[in-house]
């Protein structure tokens, strides 16, 4: 391959790569993605209500790319750390319910979306103490073969 052919090849590859990344989602695609994510969060919250905190495992992306900064933490935790904390905390919770007070979904691609919202919750611990709380949360979701999963994010308690 001569230099002119090589340069033409590189320019062609660059143009193809750029054109693939600049195809914005249509409004219909965004609405479909948002609906899928809302359905996933409804299922997620229902699973936690019926099965407890460990039900979250099915909704977390079980990859090395996963991280989360939970309330009270100042750094990102890995999937294994989050699972350990959820397992330990679940031993002290009799029942727990979550729902979104508000949520905004920002589809980026067919398989990636960001979201931001306020989650409200009610928890009864093993001593029958009832606690209500609100959490502000934002994160990134990724669509895998098994559906939408939480890939990364952060949350903190609101007063």
């Amino acid at each position: 391959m001569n230099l002119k052919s090589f340069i033409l090849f590189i320019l062609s590859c660059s143009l193809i790569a750029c054109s693939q990344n600049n195809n914005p989602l249509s409004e219909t695609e965004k609405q479909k993605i948002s609906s899928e994510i809302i359905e996933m969060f409804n299922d997620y919250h229902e699973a936690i209500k019926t099965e407890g905190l460990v039900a979250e495992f099915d909704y977390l992306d079980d990859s090395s790319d996963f991280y989360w900064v939970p309330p009270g933490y100042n750094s990102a935790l890995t999937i294994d750390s989050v699972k350990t904390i959820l397992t330990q905390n679940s031993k002290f919770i009799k029942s727990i319910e979550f729902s979104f007070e508000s949520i905004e979904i920002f589809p980026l691609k067919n398989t990636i979306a960001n979201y931001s919202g306020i989650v409200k919750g009610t928890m009864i611990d093993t001593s029958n103490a009832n606690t209500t709380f609100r959490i502000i949360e934002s994160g990134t979701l990724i669509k895998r073969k098994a559906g939408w999963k939480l890939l990364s994010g952060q949350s903190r308690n609101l007063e």
Side-chain angles (χ1 to χ4, degrees), residues 25-62:
L25 295 170
S26 70
E27 285 306 310
T28 302
E29 290 170 314
K30 288 179 182 181
Q31 289 174 358
K32 180 180 183 289
I33 291 166
S34 294
S35 293
E36 290 174 357
I37 290 170
I38 293 293
E39 183 178 342
M40 181 278 296
F41 275 126
N42 289 337
D43 293 346
Y44 175 55
H45 291 153
E46 184 61 30
I48 292 168
K49 179 181 175 183
T50 59
E51 301 169 37
L53 287 180
V54 295
E56 287 195 45
F57 297 173
D58 291 339
Y59 298 88
L60 306 178
D61 187 56
D62 200 6

PDB file of all heavy atoms in Angstrom, residues 25-62:
ATOM      1  N   LEU A  25     -30.236  10.142  18.770  1.00  0.00           N
ATOM      2  CA  LEU A  25     -31.451   9.343  18.905  1.00  0.00           C
ATOM      3  C   LEU A  25     -32.654  10.196  18.519  1.00  0.00           C
ATOM      4  O   LEU A  25     -32.709  11.386  18.820  1.00  0.00           O
ATOM      5  CB  LEU A  25     -31.606   8.871  20.348  1.00  0.00           C
ATOM      6  CG  LEU A  25     -30.554   7.909  20.876  1.00  0.00           C
ATOM      7  CD1 LEU A  25     -30.709   7.735  22.386  1.00  0.00           C
ATOM      8  CD2 LEU A  25     -30.652   6.570  20.173  1.00  0.00           C
ATOM      9  N   SER A  26     -33.616   9.581  17.890  1.00  0.00           N
ATOM     10  CA  SER A  26     -34.863  10.283  17.581  1.00  0.00           C
ATOM     11  C   SER A  26     -35.676  10.414  18.872  1.00  0.00           C
ATOM     12  O   SER A  26     -35.416   9.731  19.863  1.00  0.00           O
ATOM     13  CB  SER A  26     -35.663   9.507  16.538  1.00  0.00           C
ATOM     14  OG  SER A  26     -36.164   8.305  17.108  1.00  0.00           O
ATOM     15  N   GLU A  27     -36.667  11.279  18.850  1.00  0.00           N
ATOM     16  CA  GLU A  27     -37.538  11.437  20.023  1.00  0.00           C
ATOM     17  C   GLU A  27     -38.266  10.132  20.334  1.00  0.00           C
ATOM     18  O   GLU A  27     -38.458   9.783  21.496  1.00  0.00           O
ATOM     19  CB  GLU A  27     -38.531  12.590  19.826  1.00  0.00           C
ATOM     20  CG  GLU A  27     -37.908  13.960  19.965  1.00  0.00           C
ATOM     21  CD  GLU A  27     -37.152  14.152  21.280  1.00  0.00           C
ATOM     22  OE1 GLU A  27     -37.721  13.848  22.361  1.00  0.00           O
ATOM     23  OE2 GLU A  27     -35.994  14.605  21.232  1.00  0.00           O
ATOM     24  N   THR A  28     -38.653   9.404  19.299  1.00  0.00           N
ATOM     25  CA  THR A  28     -39.326   8.113  19.500  1.00  0.00           C
ATOM     26  C   THR A  28     -38.387   7.126  20.186  1.00  0.00           C
ATOM     27  O   THR A  28     -38.797   6.418  21.114  1.00  0.00           O
ATOM     28  CB  THR A  28     -39.805   7.539  18.143  1.00  0.00           C
ATOM     29  OG1 THR A  28     -40.686   8.493  17.542  1.00  0.00           O
ATOM     30  CG2 THR A  28     -40.501   6.210  18.311  1.00  0.00           C
ATOM     31  N   GLU A  29     -37.127   7.075  19.750  1.00  0.00           N
ATOM     32  CA  GLU A  29     -36.155   6.191  20.389  1.00  0.00           C
ATOM     33  C   GLU A  29     -35.922   6.589  21.842  1.00  0.00           C
ATOM     34  O   GLU A  29     -35.851   5.729  22.727  1.00  0.00           O
ATOM     35  CB  GLU A  29     -34.828   6.211  19.615  1.00  0.00           C
ATOM     36  CG  GLU A  29     -34.890   5.546  18.259  1.00  0.00           C
ATOM     37  CD  GLU A  29     -33.645   5.800  17.425  1.00  0.00           C
ATOM     38  OE1 GLU A  29     -33.186   6.964  17.356  1.00  0.00           O
ATOM     39  OE2 GLU A  29     -33.132   4.825  16.842  1.00  0.00           O
ATOM     40  N   LYS A  30     -35.818   7.887  22.098  1.00  0.00           N
ATOM     41  CA  LYS A  30     -35.624   8.368  23.471  1.00  0.00           C
ATOM     42  C   LYS A  30     -36.798   7.982  24.356  1.00  0.00           C
ATOM     43  O   LYS A  30     -36.610   7.566  25.502  1.00  0.00           O
ATOM     44  CB  LYS A  30     -35.423   9.884  23.487  1.00  0.00           C
ATOM     45  CG  LYS A  30     -34.093  10.337  22.954  1.00  0.00           C
ATOM     46  CD  LYS A  30     -33.994  11.848  22.994  1.00  0.00           C
ATOM     47  CE  LYS A  30     -32.682  12.342  22.414  1.00  0.00           C
ATOM     48  NZ  LYS A  30     -32.575  13.812  22.477  1.00  0.00           N
ATOM     49  N   GLN A  31     -38.006   8.130  23.838  1.00  0.00           N
ATOM     50  CA  GLN A  31     -39.200   7.765  24.615  1.00  0.00           C
ATOM     51  C   GLN A  31     -39.237   6.268  24.900  1.00  0.00           C
ATOM     52  O   GLN A  31     -39.590   5.857  26.007  1.00  0.00           O
ATOM     53  CB  GLN A  31     -40.466   8.206  23.882  1.00  0.00           C
ATOM     54  CG  GLN A  31     -40.668   9.705  23.881  1.00  0.00           C
ATOM     55  CD  GLN A  31     -41.847  10.149  23.022  1.00  0.00           C
ATOM     56  OE1 GLN A  31     -42.516   9.357  22.385  1.00  0.00           O
ATOM     57  NE2 GLN A  31     -42.085  11.458  23.001  1.00  0.00           N
ATOM     58  N   LYS A  32     -38.856   5.458  23.922  1.00  0.00           N
ATOM     59  CA  LYS A  32     -38.843   4.004  24.110  1.00  0.00           C
ATOM     60  C   LYS A  32     -37.823   3.620  25.186  1.00  0.00           C
ATOM     61  O   LYS A  32     -38.113   2.826  26.080  1.00  0.00           O
ATOM     62  CB  LYS A  32     -38.513   3.309  22.795  1.00  0.00           C
ATOM     63  CG  LYS A  32     -38.468   1.790  22.884  1.00  0.00           C
ATOM     64  CD  LYS A  32     -38.134   1.166  21.534  1.00  0.00           C
ATOM     65  CE  LYS A  32     -38.153  -0.334  21.554  1.00  0.00           C
ATOM     66  NZ  LYS A  32     -37.052  -0.945  22.280  1.00  0.00           N
ATOM     67  N   ILE A  33     -36.639   4.195  25.111  1.00  0.00           N
ATOM     68  CA  ILE A  33     -35.587   3.920  26.095  1.00  0.00           C
ATOM     69  C   ILE A  33     -36.054   4.367  27.483  1.00  0.00           C
ATOM     70  O   ILE A  33     -35.911   3.624  28.458  1.00  0.00           O
ATOM     71  CB  ILE A  33     -34.274   4.616  25.685  1.00  0.00           C
ATOM     72  CG1 ILE A  33     -33.692   3.941  24.440  1.00  0.00           C
ATOM     73  CG2 ILE A  33     -33.265   4.614  26.835  1.00  0.00           C
ATOM     74  CD1 ILE A  33     -32.596   4.739  23.746  1.00  0.00           C
ATOM     75  N   SER A  34     -36.624   5.553  27.569  1.00  0.00           N
ATOM     76  CA  SER A  34     -37.108   6.066  28.853  1.00  0.00           C
ATOM     77  C   SER A  34     -38.178   5.147  29.443  1.00  0.00           C
ATOM     78  O   SER A  34     -38.166   4.860  30.641  1.00  0.00           O
ATOM     79  CB  SER A  34     -37.656   7.482  28.698  1.00  0.00           C
ATOM     80  OG  SER A  34     -36.614   8.370  28.355  1.00  0.00           O
ATOM     81  N   SER A  35     -39.089   4.668  28.604  1.00  0.00           N
ATOM     82  CA  SER A  35     -40.138   3.749  29.071  1.00  0.00           C
ATOM     83  C   SER A  35     -39.542   2.448  29.589  1.00  0.00           C
ATOM     84  O   SER A  35     -39.970   1.921  30.623  1.00  0.00           O
ATOM     85  CB  SER A  35     -41.129   3.449  27.942  1.00  0.00           C
ATOM     86  OG  SER A  35     -41.840   4.593  27.603  1.00  0.00           O
ATOM     87  N   GLU A  36     -38.560   1.912  28.878  1.00  0.00           N
ATOM     88  CA  GLU A  36     -37.897   0.675  29.321  1.00  0.00           C
ATOM     89  C   GLU A  36     -37.225   0.881  30.680  1.00  0.00           C
ATOM     90  O   GLU A  36     -37.280   0.016  31.550  1.00  0.00           O
ATOM     91  CB  GLU A  36     -36.846   0.229  28.302  1.00  0.00           C
ATOM     92  CG  GLU A  36     -37.407  -0.289  27.001  1.00  0.00           C
ATOM     93  CD  GLU A  36     -36.314  -0.582  25.974  1.00  0.00           C
ATOM     94  OE1 GLU A  36     -35.106  -0.331  26.243  1.00  0.00           O
ATOM     95  OE2 GLU A  36     -36.671  -1.050  24.874  1.00  0.00           O
ATOM     96  N   ILE A  37     -36.601   2.030  30.849  1.00  0.00           N
ATOM     97  CA  ILE A  37     -35.885   2.313  32.099  1.00  0.00           C
ATOM     98  C   ILE A  37     -36.867   2.515  33.249  1.00  0.00           C
ATOM     99  O   ILE A  37     -36.644   1.996  34.354  1.00  0.00           O
ATOM    100  CB  ILE A  37     -34.941   3.513  31.910  1.00  0.00           C
ATOM    101  CG1 ILE A  37     -33.782   3.098  30.990  1.00  0.00           C
ATOM    102  CG2 ILE A  37     -34.440   4.035  33.252  1.00  0.00           C
ATOM    103  CD1 ILE A  37     -32.904   4.225  30.515  1.00  0.00           C
ATOM    104  N   ILE A  38     -37.967   3.218  33.010  1.00  0.00           N
ATOM    105  CA  ILE A  38     -38.989   3.395  34.045  1.00  0.00           C
ATOM    106  C   ILE A  38     -39.528   2.025  34.460  1.00  0.00           C
ATOM    107  O   ILE A  38     -39.693   1.745  35.660  1.00  0.00           O
ATOM    108  CB  ILE A  38     -40.141   4.310  33.550  1.00  0.00           C
ATOM    109  CG1 ILE A  38     -39.638   5.740  33.345  1.00  0.00           C
ATOM    110  CG2 ILE A  38     -41.329   4.254  34.500  1.00  0.00           C
ATOM    111  CD1 ILE A  38     -39.237   6.469  34.608  1.00  0.00           C
ATOM    112  N   GLU A  39     -39.781   1.171  33.495  1.00  0.00           N
ATOM    113  CA  GLU A  39     -40.262  -0.190  33.795  1.00  0.00           C
ATOM    114  C   GLU A  39     -39.227  -0.957  34.620  1.00  0.00           C
ATOM    115  O   GLU A  39     -39.562  -1.644  35.584  1.00  0.00           O
ATOM    116  CB  GLU A  39     -40.581  -0.934  32.502  1.00  0.00           C
ATOM    117  CG  GLU A  39     -41.140  -2.315  32.729  1.00  0.00           C
ATOM    118  CD  GLU A  39     -41.499  -3.030  31.429  1.00  0.00           C
ATOM    119  OE1 GLU A  39     -41.646  -2.368  30.380  1.00  0.00           O
ATOM    120  OE2 GLU A  39     -41.613  -4.269  31.476  1.00  0.00           O
ATOM    121  N   MET A  40     -37.948  -0.831  34.260  1.00  0.00           N
ATOM    122  CA  MET A  40     -36.889  -1.489  35.013  1.00  0.00           C
ATOM    123  C   MET A  40     -36.866  -0.994  36.452  1.00  0.00           C
ATOM    124  O   MET A  40     -36.789  -1.783  37.392  1.00  0.00           O
ATOM    125  CB  MET A  40     -35.531  -1.255  34.356  1.00  0.00           C
ATOM    126  CG  MET A  40     -34.346  -1.929  35.056  1.00  0.00           C
ATOM    127  SD  MET A  40     -33.603  -1.084  36.494  1.00  0.00           S
ATOM    128  CE  MET A  40     -32.949   0.400  35.776  1.00  0.00           C
ATOM    129  N   PHE A  41     -36.955   0.334  36.656  1.00  0.00           N
ATOM    130  CA  PHE A  41     -36.942   0.873  38.013  1.00  0.00           C
ATOM    131  C   PHE A  41     -38.174   0.423  38.803  1.00  0.00           C
ATOM    132  O   PHE A  41     -38.071   0.133  39.996  1.00  0.00           O
ATOM    133  CB  PHE A  41     -36.835   2.397  38.015  1.00  0.00           C
ATOM    134  CG  PHE A  41     -35.430   2.909  37.921  1.00  0.00           C
ATOM    135  CD1 PHE A  41     -35.059   3.811  36.932  1.00  0.00           C
ATOM    136  CD2 PHE A  41     -34.465   2.518  38.844  1.00  0.00           C
ATOM    137  CE1 PHE A  41     -33.759   4.295  36.854  1.00  0.00           C
ATOM    138  CE2 PHE A  41     -33.161   3.001  38.776  1.00  0.00           C
ATOM    139  CZ  PHE A  41     -32.808   3.883  37.777  1.00  0.00           C
ATOM    140  N   ASN A  42     -39.333   0.343  38.165  1.00  0.00           N
ATOM    141  CA  ASN A  42     -40.530  -0.162  38.852  1.00  0.00           C
ATOM    142  C   ASN A  42     -40.321  -1.608  39.297  1.00  0.00           C
ATOM    143  O   ASN A  42     -40.650  -1.974  40.425  1.00  0.00           O
ATOM    144  CB  ASN A  42     -41.767  -0.039  37.963  1.00  0.00           C
ATOM    145  CG  ASN A  42     -42.219   1.395  37.791  1.00  0.00           C
ATOM    146  OD1 ASN A  42     -41.932   2.262  38.612  1.00  0.00           O
ATOM    147  ND2 ASN A  42     -42.918   1.666  36.708  1.00  0.00           N
ATOM    148  N   ASP A  43     -39.766  -2.428  38.404  1.00  0.00           N
ATOM    149  CA  ASP A  43     -39.463  -3.826  38.749  1.00  0.00           C
ATOM    150  C   ASP A  43     -38.427  -3.900  39.865  1.00  0.00           C
ATOM    151  O   ASP A  43     -38.528  -4.730  40.776  1.00  0.00           O
ATOM    152  CB  ASP A  43     -38.955  -4.584  37.521  1.00  0.00           C
ATOM    153  CG  ASP A  43     -40.011  -4.762  36.446  1.00  0.00           C
ATOM    154  OD1 ASP A  43     -41.216  -4.544  36.733  1.00  0.00           O
ATOM    155  OD2 ASP A  43     -39.639  -5.102  35.309  1.00  0.00           O
ATOM    156  N   TYR A  44     -37.441  -3.050  39.787  1.00  0.00           N
ATOM    157  CA  TYR A  44     -36.360  -2.971  40.783  1.00  0.00           C
ATOM    158  C   TYR A  44     -36.928  -2.667  42.166  1.00  0.00           C
ATOM    159  O   TYR A  44     -36.644  -3.359  43.144  1.00  0.00           O
ATOM    160  CB  TYR A  44     -35.396  -1.885  40.298  1.00  0.00           C
ATOM    161  CG  TYR A  44     -34.245  -1.483  41.165  1.00  0.00           C
ATOM    162  CD1 TYR A  44     -33.321  -2.398  41.651  1.00  0.00           C
ATOM    163  CD2 TYR A  44     -34.041  -0.130  41.449  1.00  0.00           C
ATOM    164  CE1 TYR A  44     -32.228  -1.983  42.412  1.00  0.00           C
ATOM    165  CE2 TYR A  44     -32.949   0.289  42.193  1.00  0.00           C
ATOM    166  CZ  TYR A  44     -32.054  -0.647  42.674  1.00  0.00           C
ATOM    167  OH  TYR A  44     -30.975  -0.228  43.417  1.00  0.00           O
ATOM    168  N   HIS A  45     -37.765  -1.650  42.236  1.00  0.00           N
ATOM    169  CA  HIS A  45     -38.350  -1.267  43.519  1.00  0.00           C
ATOM    170  C   HIS A  45     -39.297  -2.346  44.047  1.00  0.00           C
ATOM    171  O   HIS A  45     -39.330  -2.610  45.249  1.00  0.00           O
ATOM    172  CB  HIS A  45     -39.056   0.083  43.405  1.00  0.00           C
ATOM    173  CG  HIS A  45     -38.103   1.213  43.196  1.00  0.00           C
ATOM    174  ND1 HIS A  45     -38.457   2.379  42.554  1.00  0.00           N
ATOM    175  CD2 HIS A  45     -36.789   1.370  43.529  1.00  0.00           C
ATOM    176  CE1 HIS A  45     -37.414   3.195  42.505  1.00  0.00           C
ATOM    177  NE2 HIS A  45     -36.395   2.604  43.088  1.00  0.00           N
ATOM    178  N   GLU A  46     -40.047  -2.985  43.160  1.00  0.00           N
ATOM    179  CA  GLU A  46     -40.941  -4.070  43.580  1.00  0.00           C
ATOM    180  C   GLU A  46     -40.143  -5.268  44.097  1.00  0.00           C
ATOM    181  O   GLU A  46     -40.516  -5.892  45.093  1.00  0.00           O
ATOM    182  CB  GLU A  46     -41.856  -4.482  42.418  1.00  0.00           C
ATOM    183  CG  GLU A  46     -42.888  -5.525  42.789  1.00  0.00           C
ATOM    184  CD  GLU A  46     -43.866  -5.076  43.874  1.00  0.00           C
ATOM    185  OE1 GLU A  46     -44.169  -3.872  43.984  1.00  0.00           O
ATOM    186  OE2 GLU A  46     -44.335  -5.949  44.638  1.00  0.00           O
ATOM    187  N   ALA A  47     -39.040  -5.576  43.432  1.00  0.00           N
ATOM    188  CA  ALA A  47     -38.192  -6.694  43.873  1.00  0.00           C
ATOM    189  C   ALA A  47     -37.621  -6.433  45.265  1.00  0.00           C
ATOM    190  O   ALA A  47     -37.588  -7.338  46.113  1.00  0.00           O
ATOM    191  CB  ALA A  47     -37.067  -6.929  42.863  1.00  0.00           C
ATOM    192  N   ILE A  48     -37.200  -5.210  45.511  1.00  0.00           N
ATOM    193  CA  ILE A  48     -36.665  -4.856  46.831  1.00  0.00           C
ATOM    194  C   ILE A  48     -37.768  -4.967  47.885  1.00  0.00           C
ATOM    195  O   ILE A  48     -37.543  -5.468  48.988  1.00  0.00           O
ATOM    196  CB  ILE A  48     -36.045  -3.444  46.808  1.00  0.00           C
ATOM    197  CG1 ILE A  48     -34.788  -3.447  45.948  1.00  0.00           C
ATOM    198  CG2 ILE A  48     -35.738  -2.970  48.223  1.00  0.00           C
ATOM    199  CD1 ILE A  48     -34.262  -2.061  45.625  1.00  0.00           C
ATOM    200  N   LYS A  49     -38.964  -4.511  47.539  1.00  0.00           N
ATOM    201  CA  LYS A  49     -40.098  -4.576  48.474  1.00  0.00           C
ATOM    202  C   LYS A  49     -40.416  -6.024  48.842  1.00  0.00           C
ATOM    203  O   LYS A  49     -40.673  -6.328  50.003  1.00  0.00           O
ATOM    204  CB  LYS A  49     -41.323  -3.913  47.835  1.00  0.00           C
ATOM    205  CG  LYS A  49     -42.565  -3.938  48.694  1.00  0.00           C
ATOM    206  CD  LYS A  49     -43.720  -3.276  47.973  1.00  0.00           C
ATOM    207  CE  LYS A  49     -45.008  -3.391  48.765  1.00  0.00           C
ATOM    208  NZ  LYS A  49     -46.132  -2.794  48.021  1.00  0.00           N
ATOM    209  N   THR A  50     -40.390  -6.925  47.885  1.00  0.00           N
ATOM    210  CA  THR A  50     -40.782  -8.309  48.150  1.00  0.00           C
ATOM    211  C   THR A  50     -39.636  -9.200  48.619  1.00  0.00           C
ATOM    212  O   THR A  50     -39.850 -10.118  49.394  1.00  0.00           O
ATOM    213  CB  THR A  50     -41.444  -8.947  46.914  1.00  0.00           C
ATOM    214  OG1 THR A  50     -40.537  -8.908  45.819  1.00  0.00           O
ATOM    215  CG2 THR A  50     -42.729  -8.234  46.553  1.00  0.00           C
ATOM    216  N   GLU A  51     -38.408  -8.896  48.164  1.00  0.00           N
ATOM    217  CA  GLU A  51     -37.287  -9.786  48.464  1.00  0.00           C
ATOM    218  C   GLU A  51     -36.199  -9.167  49.343  1.00  0.00           C
ATOM    219  O   GLU A  51     -35.276  -9.855  49.752  1.00  0.00           O
ATOM    220  CB  GLU A  51     -36.660 -10.277  47.156  1.00  0.00           C
ATOM    221  CG  GLU A  51     -37.633 -11.020  46.252  1.00  0.00           C
ATOM    222  CD  GLU A  51     -37.061 -11.244  44.866  1.00  0.00           C
ATOM    223  OE1 GLU A  51     -35.849 -11.499  44.753  1.00  0.00           O
ATOM    224  OE2 GLU A  51     -37.842 -11.136  43.905  1.00  0.00           O
ATOM    225  N   GLY A  52     -36.272  -7.867  49.583  1.00  0.00           N
ATOM    226  CA  GLY A  52     -35.262  -7.205  50.398  1.00  0.00           C
ATOM    227  C   GLY A  52     -34.125  -6.633  49.570  1.00  0.00           C
ATOM    228  O   GLY A  52     -34.113  -6.708  48.337  1.00  0.00           O
ATOM    229  N   LEU A  53     -33.159  -6.062  50.276  1.00  0.00           N
ATOM    230  CA  LEU A  53     -32.051  -5.356  49.621  1.00  0.00           C
ATOM    231  C   LEU A  53     -31.245  -6.227  48.663  1.00  0.00           C
ATOM    232  O   LEU A  53     -30.735  -5.727  47.665  1.00  0.00           O
ATOM    233  CB  LEU A  53     -31.114  -4.758  50.670  1.00  0.00           C
ATOM    234  CG  LEU A  53     -31.618  -3.549  51.431  1.00  0.00           C
ATOM    235  CD1 LEU A  53     -30.566  -3.093  52.439  1.00  0.00           C
ATOM    236  CD2 LEU A  53     -31.980  -2.411  50.490  1.00  0.00           C
ATOM    237  N   VAL A  54     -31.101  -7.514  48.957  1.00  0.00           N
ATOM    238  CA  VAL A  54     -30.287  -8.366  48.080  1.00  0.00           C
ATOM    239  C   VAL A  54     -30.910  -8.532  46.694  1.00  0.00           C
ATOM    240  O   VAL A  54     -30.231  -8.941  45.754  1.00  0.00           O
ATOM    241  CB  VAL A  54     -29.974  -9.738  48.730  1.00  0.00           C
ATOM    242  CG1 VAL A  54     -29.100  -9.556  49.966  1.00  0.00           C
ATOM    243  CG2 VAL A  54     -31.242 -10.491  49.070  1.00  0.00           C
ATOM    244  N   ALA A  55     -32.180  -8.169  46.552  1.00  0.00           N
ATOM    245  CA  ALA A  55     -32.811  -8.198  45.228  1.00  0.00           C
ATOM    246  C   ALA A  55     -32.159  -7.189  44.289  1.00  0.00           C
ATOM    247  O   ALA A  55     -32.280  -7.299  43.070  1.00  0.00           O
ATOM    248  CB  ALA A  55     -34.306  -7.917  45.350  1.00  0.00           C
ATOM    249  N   GLU A  56     -31.447  -6.214  44.856  1.00  0.00           N
ATOM    250  CA  GLU A  56     -30.756  -5.218  44.038  1.00  0.00           C
ATOM    251  C   GLU A  56     -29.709  -5.857  43.129  1.00  0.00           C
ATOM    252  O   GLU A  56     -29.401  -5.323  42.065  1.00  0.00           O
ATOM    253  CB  GLU A  56     -30.065  -4.169  44.922  1.00  0.00           C
ATOM    254  CG  GLU A  56     -31.027  -3.213  45.574  1.00  0.00           C
ATOM    255  CD  GLU A  56     -30.327  -1.988  46.138  1.00  0.00           C
ATOM    256  OE1 GLU A  56     -29.458  -1.405  45.451  1.00  0.00           O
ATOM    257  OE2 GLU A  56     -30.662  -1.611  47.270  1.00  0.00           O
ATOM    258  N   PHE A  57     -29.155  -6.981  43.535  1.00  0.00           N
ATOM    259  CA  PHE A  57     -28.072  -7.614  42.768  1.00  0.00           C
ATOM    260  C   PHE A  57     -28.446  -7.812  41.305  1.00  0.00           C
ATOM    261  O   PHE A  57     -27.616  -7.656  40.414  1.00  0.00           O
ATOM    262  CB  PHE A  57     -27.670  -8.959  43.367  1.00  0.00           C
ATOM    263  CG  PHE A  57     -27.109  -8.902  44.761  1.00  0.00           C
ATOM    264  CD1 PHE A  57     -26.857 -10.069  45.452  1.00  0.00           C
ATOM    265  CD2 PHE A  57     -26.819  -7.705  45.397  1.00  0.00           C
ATOM    266  CE1 PHE A  57     -26.334 -10.047  46.746  1.00  0.00           C
ATOM    267  CE2 PHE A  57     -26.305  -7.664  46.687  1.00  0.00           C
ATOM    268  CZ  PHE A  57     -26.063  -8.839  47.355  1.00  0.00           C
ATOM    269  N   ASP A  58     -29.714  -8.161  41.040  1.00  0.00           N
ATOM    270  CA  ASP A  58     -30.159  -8.422  39.669  1.00  0.00           C
ATOM    271  C   ASP A  58     -30.194  -7.158  38.807  1.00  0.00           C
ATOM    272  O   ASP A  58     -30.305  -7.244  37.589  1.00  0.00           O
ATOM    273  CB  ASP A  58     -31.548  -9.055  39.660  1.00  0.00           C
ATOM    274  CG  ASP A  58     -31.552 -10.469  40.202  1.00  0.00           C
ATOM    275  OD1 ASP A  58     -30.485 -11.119  40.216  1.00  0.00           O
ATOM    276  OD2 ASP A  58     -32.634 -10.922  40.632  1.00  0.00           O
ATOM    277  N   TYR A  59     -30.118  -6.005  39.441  1.00  0.00           N
ATOM    278  CA  TYR A  59     -30.237  -4.746  38.717  1.00  0.00           C
ATOM    279  C   TYR A  59     -28.924  -3.969  38.650  1.00  0.00           C
ATOM    280  O   TYR A  59     -28.881  -2.885  38.082  1.00  0.00           O
ATOM    281  CB  TYR A  59     -31.339  -3.887  39.354  1.00  0.00           C
ATOM    282  CG  TYR A  59     -32.681  -4.586  39.257  1.00  0.00           C
ATOM    283  CD1 TYR A  59     -33.103  -5.474  40.247  1.00  0.00           C
ATOM    284  CD2 TYR A  59     -33.499  -4.394  38.160  1.00  0.00           C
ATOM    285  CE1 TYR A  59     -34.317  -6.141  40.137  1.00  0.00           C
ATOM    286  CE2 TYR A  59     -34.710  -5.049  38.038  1.00  0.00           C
ATOM    287  CZ  TYR A  59     -35.109  -5.928  39.039  1.00  0.00           C
ATOM    288  OH  TYR A  59     -36.306  -6.590  38.918  1.00  0.00           O
ATOM    289  N   LEU A  60     -27.877  -4.528  39.216  1.00  0.00           N
ATOM    290  CA  LEU A  60     -26.555  -3.905  39.176  1.00  0.00           C
ATOM    291  C   LEU A  60     -25.735  -4.570  38.086  1.00  0.00           C
ATOM    292  O   LEU A  60     -25.771  -5.788  37.931  1.00  0.00           O
ATOM    293  CB  LEU A  60     -25.843  -4.069  40.530  1.00  0.00           C
ATOM    294  CG  LEU A  60     -26.606  -3.576  41.762  1.00  0.00           C
ATOM    295  CD1 LEU A  60     -25.777  -3.847  43.020  1.00  0.00           C
ATOM    296  CD2 LEU A  60     -26.958  -2.106  41.646  1.00  0.00           C
ATOM    297  N   ASP A  61     -24.984  -3.787  37.338  1.00  0.00           N
ATOM    298  CA  ASP A  61     -24.123  -4.347  36.292  1.00  0.00           C
ATOM    299  C   ASP A  61     -22.960  -5.065  36.962  1.00  0.00           C
ATOM    300  O   ASP A  61     -22.155  -4.442  37.648  1.00  0.00           O
ATOM    301  CB  ASP A  61     -23.609  -3.239  35.367  1.00  0.00           C
ATOM    302  CG  ASP A  61     -22.854  -3.806  34.195  1.00  0.00           C
ATOM    303  OD1 ASP A  61     -23.436  -4.636  33.464  1.00  0.00           O
ATOM    304  OD2 ASP A  61     -21.684  -3.433  34.010  1.00  0.00           O
ATOM    305  N   ASP A  62     -22.915  -6.344  36.784  1.00  0.00           N
ATOM    306  CA  ASP A  62     -21.909  -7.181  37.449  1.00  0.00           C
ATOM    307  C   ASP A  62     -20.621  -7.205  36.616  1.00  0.00           C
ATOM    308  O   ASP A  62     -20.221  -8.240  36.105  1.00  0.00           O
ATOM    309  CB  ASP A  62     -22.466  -8.591  37.653  1.00  0.00           C
ATOM    310  CG  ASP A  62     -21.717  -9.355  38.716  1.00  0.00           C
ATOM    311  OD1 ASP A  62     -20.842  -8.776  39.383  1.00  0.00           O
ATOM    312  OD2 ASP A  62     -22.002 -10.551  38.879  1.00  0.00           O
TER     313      ASP A  62
END
